[in-house]
Amino acid sequence: MSQIIPISQKRTFTLEEAQELLPVIRRITKEAVEKFVLLERKLKKQQAISQAWDSVEVEISDLLNKWSDKISKLGALPKGIWLVDFDSGQGYYCWRYDEETIENFHGYEEGFSSRTLIQ
């Protein structure tokens, strides 16, 4: 049975809803990370060539923007490179690539460094 996922809607999540969406978030993020690693290698090989450097930087920026847009369309919040928050109505469930599940939470005023384990 396929799940219908609302697109581009601000939403709040229960922990269970965030966990249900996580496989989609993980797949999107994994694909982006793999492309990022390839671009990073390309960038290191072409450090001496200024025009090539600029071109790869544009590709990396485009990749990160596309990843961020996809995460946002799912109702989650991209908060950094490979870092995703899910608004709970009281703060954020927090996930970072490549964590298996959502196990952390932080308030609206705090950030990643203040996240705590969900009890």
Side-chain angles (χ1 to χ4, degrees):
M1 180 179 204
S2 45
Q3 175 184 9
I4 297 174
I5 299 171
I7 302 293
S8 299
Q9 295 180 14
K10 183 176 168 61
R11 62 182 284 203
T12 56
F13 293 85
T14 64
L15 181 56
E16 292 76 26
E17 291 169 334
Q19 295 287 21
E20 286 174 10
L21 186 58
L22 189 59
V24 176
I25 299 281
R26 284 179 53 81
R27 180 184 48 78
I28 290 168
T29 304
K30 183 177 188 249
E31 289 171 4
V33 167
E34 289 169 353
K35 290 177 185 175
F36 180 84
V37 168
L38 293 174
L39 288 169
E40 190 176 43
R41 286 183 193 149
K42 186 176 176 181
L43 192 63
K44 288 178 182 177
K45 287 180 183 177
Q46 299 177 345
Q47 283 181 344
I49 307 167
S50 177
Q51 288 177 329
W53 180 274
D54 292 343
S55 172
V56 175
E57 284 183 327
V58 168
E59 287 182 74
I60 289 172
S61 177
D62 186 51
L63 173 69
L64 293 173
N65 287 330
K66 285 180 180 176
W67 171 80
S68 179
D69 288 345
K70 287 178 181 179
I71 299 303
S72 295
K73 284 180 180 177
L74 293 171
L77 304 165
K79 289 293 186 129
I81 298 176
W82 322 136
L83 180 63
V84 178
D85 282 352
F86 301 83
D87 189 346
S88 74
Q90 298 177 340
Y92 297 110
Y93 300 117
C94 182
W95 175 81
R96 175 179 60 181
Y97 182 80
D98 188 39
E99 295 171 341
E100 292 295 321
T101 63
I102 300 166
E103 297 178 350
N104 295 284
F105 179 88
H106 62 81
Y108 288 123
E109 301 302 319
E110 294 99 33
F112 179 82
S113 63
S114 299
R115 67 189 198 150
T116 58
L117 271 169
I118 297 169
Q119 300 297 330

